[in-house]
Amino acid sequence: MSNIYKIENGPVLVLAGPGTGKTHTIAQRARFLIKEKEVPPQEISIITFTKEASFETRARLSDVDKEDVYLAPDKQPKTISTMHSLGDKILRANTKKAQLKKEFQVVSDDRFLMSIMEDSAQLNGYPREYALEVKNCRTFELCNEKDDDPRCKVCKTYRQILRTANAIDHDEQIRLACKLLSKYSDVHKDWLKRAKHLLVDEYQDINASQFEMIKLLSKGQEKGLFVVGDDDQSIYSWRGGTPKYIRNFTIDFKDHDPKVESLPICWRCPKSIHKGAVAVVAHFDTERKNKVVINYKNPLATKINCISLPSEKSEAKFIANLVNKTFPAYSSLVLIPKWDYANPIKSALRGKSIPYDLPMRIQESDLALFEDIGRWLSDTGENLVLRNMIRIILETEKSIGKPSTRWSDERFIKWNEKMKPISKLWEKIFAKEYNSSLMEALKSAAAKSSMLEKLFNMLQTIWEDSKKAPADFLNSVARNLSLWKQDTGKLIEEITDWCEAARIPGPGRELVRIMTMNNAKGLSADYVFVVGLENEAFPGDVDKEVLQEKCRLFFVSMTRAKRELFLLWTRKRSASYTYKALDQNEILSRSQFIESIPPEHIENDWKQSFL
């Protein structure tokens, strides 16, 4: 066993490849500090990337069977949370200083937030599509907060809209907390006491504001900083995450004698699977930090299985047949590039009566809108909820529709003109007209715009029909909000997915998990199937930076396997999956990522047909 967790006087970076025990190392560090160094639990803060990881860390520390990490409940660190939860806790303890009202809400629906950003752009005299540039500025922390910067003007209005509803967005939980820590010495001192030893998991996924929070919480006590991560698993650039912080650790903390170590044992993957995955990421991402694994505890000598199949239907049947032979004795995980790859796989598993777990994409479900409707019906002053309902109505309106990157400049201009009256409604809210109710503002403006009049009448009808029989109310909502677009099949599919998600497995019952590659981190299974590995779709035609992240995504997917790994590619696939239009007879090629796996670690199989 490695004693890296006992390194004293950090800052310490622990490079931890897949299956080398990141969470266990964090738990060992906490126990070492409390039991051997007699550090008070209230002076230790542990930051994880997800809520699930927070629960897992707490569970590890509470497991009496793991003597090397167990701590009695009263001896465990008081703070084990995600960065966002930590920021939220700081804000709620200091709402007045943060210029927030008590009981503020946190809005996290990106599609909805983008609508508000587009309204803000238009209110400042810019086209709605300019919101994307502002969003990227916020995501990648490029904002210079200058009054003459157009992006800052739009951002200011965006925040103003949120504040009228006593709301912040997800990322502001961290940004505003950092401002409090920087501006108020009493707040900073309070949290410095709680983070004399700051333990950070998944360090490769942090963004600029998260890095700032880590710097603030460890300021003057950097020797207590202990971070764990793997730049090969940095896959969240769309959230602003970047591997540069883990790669620049010794530079960022150069004045504090930083130390870097690697966890030397892989507990999860068979040797060939791990080495094959490392070969891929080393080939495409030459800036990666080398992790030296000197011992493999998995005794299996299985190689990577690469299977070529005729079509996505045969791919799904292959998965279902193999799972049927091994389930439930062995766990199975199916990883897909995008959610629409799941449909044939679900059908094939159902055909074999194999239960599966597919996370509900609640934000993309028409049924989920009923939650918003319920909130609005109980309080018509819920302006953000109402704005989301308006977005859905307009996106299904044929004369407006959801904007597309394929639109002509002329169509964008017309779209902006049609949407301008919607954006202008916020000015009435800013002026505190009509009791700051968006519905009342819409009613007053309806006389000047046929579109707004139609919108108001739709919403008024839903309000009135909510007092009728359930069937009449549901019919009214579906009709006025154009839900399911007359597609009964889509409605049935959504209901089926919701019912399956609601079923709680009985004790000991196993489920085949279906996940996108982006959601694979933290998971593992005996049998792992990575789907859709045609070069025309994954990685597709991308630039170098995106290619590097996709190779890391592939690396993460490969290293979930504990027994067998199956890389699947089809010679034909529906055209919607590929990045370019294909000739009817065109044969797809296998991903260039597969091509970089050394032959001694892979076995290839070509299925001429599969029924």
Side-chain angles (χ1 to χ4, degrees), residues 114-145:
M114 196 62 185
S115 295
I116 297 177
M117 186 74 77
E118 290 170 352
D119 289 348
S120 304
Q122 207 157 21
L123 284 172
N124 282 278
Y126 304 104
R128 295 183 70 83
E129 53 268 30
Y130 183 68
L132 182 60
E133 185 170 336
V134 180
K135 180 180 182 297
N136 288 337
C137 178
R138 288 171 60 85
T139 299
F140 300 108
E141 305 290 339
L142 304 175
C143 186
N144 51 28
E145 297 191 3

Side-chain angles (χ1 to χ4, degrees), residues 273-520:
I273 292 176
H274 183 269
K275 281 189 170 293
V278 170
V280 175
V281 78
H283 179 79
F284 288 94
D285 192 355
T286 55
E287 297 176 5
R288 67 182 290 268
K289 296 185 78 69
N290 188 38
K291 272 72 66 176
V292 180
V293 175
I294 60 175
N295 195 355
Y296 292 87
K297 290 297 184 180
N298 189 324
L300 297 175
T302 51
K303 291 186 178 183
I304 298 166
N305 302 286
C306 179
I307 313 294
S308 173
L309 293 148
S311 67
E312 63 245 43
K313 286 187 177 180
S314 59
E315 177 183 65
K317 289 180 180 178
F318 174 84
I319 293 171
N321 285 352
L322 187 52
V323 169
N324 195 43
K325 294 176 182 177
T326 60
F327 181 86
Y330 296 104
S331 58
S332 293
L333 172 64
V334 182
L335 297 176
I336 54 180
K338 296 185 297 184
W339 287 115
D340 50 0
Y341 281 73
N343 292 330
I345 298 169
K346 290 193 298 182
S347 297
L349 291 173
R350 284 173 184 160
K352 297 285 186 182
S353 299
I354 300 172
Y356 61 84
D357 174 32
L358 180 69
M360 274 294 301
R361 290 171 288 163
I362 293 175
Q363 292 180 353
E364 298 177 28
S365 166
D366 286 344
L367 279 170
L369 179 63
F370 281 92
E371 180 183 9
D372 280 350
I373 295 171
R375 289 175 60 190
W376 178 66
L377 290 174
S378 63
D379 181 4
T380 53
E382 282 274 12
N383 292 338
L384 297 184
V385 172
L386 177 57
R387 180 62 184 90
N388 196 35
M389 293 168 63
I390 290 172
R391 173 186 67 81
I392 293 169
I393 292 173
L394 295 178
E395 285 183 355
T396 56
E397 183 71 24
K398 289 184 179 179
S399 62
I400 300 175
K402 189 175 182 179
S404 166
T405 55
R406 293 190 294 270
W407 275 13
S408 63
D409 290 344
E410 181 181 357
R411 195 169 179 187
F412 267 117
I413 291 172
K414 289 182 179 180
W415 178 65
N416 273 283
E417 284 301 311
K418 282 185 174 290
M419 293 298 293
K420 190 175 292 184
I422 304 295
S423 302
K424 288 287 185 180
L425 294 175
W426 292 114
E427 292 181 340
K428 299 181 182 295
I429 305 299
F430 297 158
K432 298 185 178 180
E433 297 182 31
Y434 311 107
N435 297 318
S436 297
S437 165
L438 191 62
M439 186 64 175
E440 291 299 316
L442 177 61
K443 180 180 179 180
S444 70
K448 302 177 183 178
S449 165
S450 59
M451 182 187 71
L452 294 185
E453 183 181 19
K454 185 177 180 180
L455 265 176
F456 177 76
N457 289 336
M458 283 183 177
L459 293 165
Q460 187 67 22
T461 299
I462 292 173
W463 170 263
E464 293 170 355
D465 289 348
S466 68
K467 300 173 178 61
K468 296 182 179 179
D472 295 330
F473 171 61
L474 292 173
N475 181 58
S476 175
V477 172
R479 183 180 66 253
N480 284 288
L481 299 187
S482 297
L483 302 186
W484 305 292
K485 302 175 185 177
Q486 308 303 317
D487 185 351
T488 304
K490 186 172 184 290
L491 169 60
I492 292 173
E493 182 181 344
E494 281 192 18
I495 292 174
T496 301
D497 286 346
W498 278 83
C499 289
E500 288 180 347
R503 292 192 187 102
I504 301 174
R509 189 180 180 205
E510 294 290 339
L511 295 170
V512 174
R513 288 174 294 180
I514 305 174
M515 293 278 186
T516 61
M517 295 183 187
N518 280 105
N519 292 313

Side-chain angles (χ1 to χ4, degrees), residues 190-334:
D190 177 37
W191 280 95
L192 283 174
K193 292 178 183 176
R194 307 189 201 193
K196 285 187 178 180
H197 290 271
L198 182 62
L199 284 54
V200 184
D201 197 6
E202 305 288 8
Y203 191 72
Q204 76 280 347
D205 290 322
I206 64 172
N207 58 27
S209 58
Q210 291 169 332
F211 177 67
E212 182 184 359
M213 179 174 278
I214 290 169
K215 293 279 282 188
L216 285 165
L217 292 175
S218 61
K219 188 175 182 180
Q221 50 193 35
E222 287 83 0
K223 68 179 182 179
L225 181 62
F226 186 91
V227 308
V228 181
D230 178 11
D231 57 326
D232 290 339
Q233 299 185 65
S234 179
I235 58 173
Y236 295 117
S237 64
W238 51 278
R239 291 178 179 169
T242 167
K244 76 175 185 180
Y245 295 111
I246 200 167
R247 292 172 179 173
N248 292 343
F249 185 83
T250 54
I251 298 173
D252 294 333
F253 296 97
K254 63 180 185 298
D255 296 330
H256 307 285
D257 189 25
K259 302 171 179 64
V260 180
E261 297 287 345
S262 293
L263 291 178
I265 302 173
C266 179
W267 300 86
R268 180 192 303 154
C269 303
K271 186 174 182 179
S272 273
I273 292 176
H274 183 269
K275 281 189 170 293
V278 170
V280 175
V281 78
H283 179 79
F284 288 94
D285 192 355
T286 55
E287 297 176 5
R288 67 182 290 268
K289 296 185 78 69
N290 188 38
K291 272 72 66 176
V292 180
V293 175
I294 60 175
N295 195 355
Y296 292 87
K297 290 297 184 180
N298 189 324
L300 297 175
T302 51
K303 291 186 178 183
I304 298 166
N305 302 286
C306 179
I307 313 294
S308 173
L309 293 148
S311 67
E312 63 245 43
K313 286 187 177 180
S314 59
E315 177 183 65
K317 289 180 180 178
F318 174 84
I319 293 171
N321 285 352
L322 187 52
V323 169
N324 195 43
K325 294 176 182 177
T326 60
F327 181 86
Y330 296 104
S331 58
S332 293
L333 172 64
V334 182

